Amino acid sequence: MKHRLLSMLGLARRARRLSLGFDAAREAARSGQAALLAAASDVSDKTWKNLRYEAGNAGVPAVRLLAGMEELGRACGKKAGVFAVTDEGFAKAILGMTDVVKREKEEHAL
């Protein structure tokens, strides 16, 4: 399922529906364009806290993905730890996949 999530991110990037980097994601959230804010698993706690703050102010969900910056960079074509999804359809698909990935990880931990 993680592969499908990374493929969806790559597709969103090619469709120009991703804003990569913290500053671009923050701007997308503040301007009302963001439908979802997401962070790589290896971003700092401070960055994750700031991203959640921006998401809360914008009224959009924020998720921390199980993929690191390296993996996300390969999927999106540019290394970034934070991004905004600016399309509702892509955002819903990615949110649905993150729930499945989290459940799969929890099942393997048991």
Side-chain angles (χ1 to χ4, degrees):
M1 189 51 92
K2 187 175 176 182
H3 177 70
R4 288 186 61 212
L5 174 66
L6 294 173
S7 295
M8 182 64 67
L9 291 173
L11 185 60
R13 168 75 173 168
R14 288 188 300 277
R16 297 179 182 246
R17 299 295 184 236
L18 280 185
S19 296
L20 296 169
F22 184 82
D23 292 337
R26 180 179 57 207
E27 184 59 37
R30 289 182 178 180
S31 67
Q33 295 175 343
L36 170 70
L37 297 180
S41 62
D42 53 356
V43 297
S44 71
D45 290 336
K46 181 179 178 184
T47 300
W48 174 236
K49 180 182 172 185
N50 290 337
L51 188 71
R52 286 191 332 233
Y53 174 79
E54 293 295 337
N57 284 343
V60 298
V63 295
R64 196 165 195 171
L65 302 174
L66 297 175
M69 281 190 264
E70 186 81 23
E71 276 184 295
L72 292 174
R74 282 193 303 267
C76 298
K78 182 178 175 186
K79 188 175 178 183
V82 174
F83 59 89
V85 180
T86 58
D87 180 81
E88 285 288 332
F90 281 121
K92 287 179 185 179
I94 291 168
L95 277 173
M97 288 181 208
T98 55
D99 289 341
V100 172
V101 172
K102 286 179 187 175
R103 268 188 267 127
E104 286 177 358
K105 184 179 180 186
E106 290 169 0
E107 289 173 3
H108 290 295
L110 297 176

